[in-house]
Amino acid sequence: MRGRRDWTRESLAEGVRTGDKRALARAISLVENSDPMAYDLVRDIYPETGRTHAVGVTGPPGVGKSSLISALIRHLRQQERTIGVISVDPSSPFTHGALLGDRIRLADHFLDPGVFIRSMGTRGHLGGLAETTLQALLVLDAAGKDLVFLETVGAGQGEVEVIGIADTVVLVLMPGSGDSVQALKAGIMEIPDVIAINKMDHPAAKTMMSEVRSILSLDHERSWKPPIVLTDATRGENVPELWEKIDEHRAHLEADGQLEERRRKNLAGEVFAVASGRAKAHLERAVADDPELRRLLDEVQRRELDPLTAVKEIMEKVFKVGDTENGTNTR
């Protein structure tokens, strides 16, 4: 068995391509930690990506997302499909790791060689998705996984970020849940491609289905009308039907040429997201190291200088960008 320090760039890339679980775990750890070797690795394997079906699974906490993913995995493994799961969990404020670890509900699949499961911490990222999630997806894509599930923490309206990484978005709701009612009101009904109402034997399940359908009927612009499936993850009821709708959505995207367009937007968005993150980190370091820039912040805090003027001066000094370029010019 390889030790942690035995991997070279070449052997790690080859291990990823062959789907070696130790190589996948090591590669995703490098990506999470922004290790320089990760950049070379992703560059090496990038030509082998673009084949997996990325399915985002989102929804309020406690509605059974992990149980539903577990049931879908069980169904898909019967078809001998290979699967990856990335669960994005709340980060520990101390270690920045994933608090929940690998989901207990997915434990049945840990020893299955055709399934790779990884939890990632959000590392303070407010949208609920770790900034490195797409890179982890690329690693599993290059490993030849037929399907990758991306499970979010379900952090309210911030879940809309899942659009920026998944081919198909599944919103899981549960009848009788106050959080699910809030989800209906919060505007996240705009994001799903498929909706699962879990715990179908609940007395309010069909009522919730009618409510969701009425909200969806207000959107007349989408060519794809999100189907609603009543499920029971623990008993596996209607799980094949749910997968059928997910598969139909993928076919719809391919038929309309939207799949490639959606992925192009996702990748462009990732470039801007990473660039923005790096620019922010550079800006914070520059301000911390420059007494003049720190003085500007102090003046804003004492209300001696307005924030937009401070932004203008900081941008000019750090990035050599004038106010007409960064949008801070006053009216």
Side-chain angles (χ1 to χ4, degrees):
M1 181 180 293
R2 290 183 183 273
R4 283 187 63 181
R5 299 183 182 180
D6 291 340
W7 294 107
T8 64
R9 170 180 166 182
E10 292 76 16
S11 66
L12 191 56
E14 184 58 29
V16 166
R17 292 187 184 102
T18 59
D20 182 277
K21 283 196 172 186
R22 293 187 300 275
L24 293 177
R26 183 63 179 145
I28 292 176
S29 292
L30 292 174
V31 163
E32 279 193 286
N33 296 323
S34 298
D35 189 288
M37 186 176 174
Y39 306 133
D40 294 330
L41 174 66
V42 172
R43 183 166 63 244
D44 290 345
I45 65 174
Y46 191 68
E48 281 88 33
T49 63
R51 294 170 294 190
T52 195
H53 183 189
V55 178
V57 181
T58 190
V63 296
K65 296 188 292 290
S66 294
S67 297
L68 203 53
I69 291 173
S70 180
L72 283 165
I73 291 173
R74 196 171 296 111
H75 172 67
L76 292 166
R77 288 298 289 147
Q78 292 174 357
Q79 303 172 18
E80 298 186 352
R81 301 200 193 192
T82 55
I83 298 164
V85 181
I86 301 172
S87 291
V88 186
D89 290 330
S91 287
S92 162
F94 304 106
T95 65
H96 299 291
L99 282 181
L100 303 182
D102 288 326
R103 301 300 177 96
I104 295 172
R105 298 288 185 269
L106 297 169
D108 291 347
H109 307 290
F110 285 166
L111 299 180
D112 186 337
V115 179
F116 181 85
I117 300 169
R118 178 62 174 255
S119 286
M120 298 177 67
T122 59
R123 297 176 182 249
H125 191 47
L126 295 178
L129 282 176
E131 293 180 3
T132 51
T133 306
L134 179 55
Q135 295 175 66
L137 170 62
L138 292 174
V139 169
L140 295 180
D141 190 350
K145 298 301 181 188
D146 298 317
L147 180 81
V148 176
F149 288 107
L150 303 157
E151 180 186 3
T152 72
V153 296
Q157 199 164 357
E159 291 163 346
V160 296
E161 277 207 7
V162 79
I163 293 177
I165 193 170
D167 299 325
T168 301
V169 178
V170 179
L171 174 63
V172 184
L173 301 172
M174 185 177 72
S177 164
D179 285 332
S180 288
V181 174
Q182 288 304 314
L184 295 176
K185 296 177 180 177
I188 65 169
M189 292 304 296
E190 300 169 6
I191 77 167
D193 301 301
V194 178
I195 297 171
I197 297 179
N198 203 20
K199 302 191 178 176
M200 59 186 290
D201 56 349
H202 191 285
K206 290 186 178 178
T207 301
M208 180 175 223
M209 187 175 188
S210 298
E211 291 174 349
V212 172
R213 187 172 284 131
S214 66
I215 291 173
L216 293 175
S217 68
L218 300 175
D219 186 352
H220 302 292
E221 297 181 4
R222 294 178 66 169
S223 59
W224 170 264
K225 304 301 181 185
I228 308 167
V229 183
L230 293 173
T231 63
D232 190 300
T234 56
R235 298 200 303 265
E237 290 192 45
N238 283 357
V239 169
E241 288 79 2
L242 176 61
W243 173 250
E244 185 179 320
K245 296 305 179 185
I246 294 170
D247 216 19
E248 284 178 10
H249 177 254
R250 160 116 184 198
H252 168 77
L253 291 179
E254 290 179 328
D256 283 7
Q258 295 179 42
L259 182 61
E260 185 62 28
E261 180 60 26
R262 182 177 282 209
R263 288 180 172 179
R264 287 169 62 90
K265 288 181 180 178
N266 291 353
L267 292 169
E270 177 67 6
V271 169
F272 284 115
V274 173
S276 298
R278 302 255 178 104
K280 180 184 177 184
H282 174 69
L283 187 62
E284 289 173 345
R285 287 194 300 269
V287 172
D289 295 340
D290 190 321
E292 178 64 21
L293 297 180
R294 289 203 308 273
R295 179 187 60 77
L296 290 172
L297 290 182
D298 291 339
E299 290 181 2
V300 171
Q301 291 165 344
R302 294 196 300 266
R303 298 190 182 274
E304 296 172 359
L305 181 68
D306 69 278
L308 291 184
T309 299
V311 168
K312 174 179 177 293
E313 294 191 31
I314 290 172
M315 294 294 286
E316 285 178 345
K317 183 163 186 179
V318 176
F319 294 118
K320 308 296 187 284
V321 177
D323 62 345
T324 57
E325 293 177 87
N326 63 39
T328 61
N329 48 325
T330 57
R331 296 178 183 176

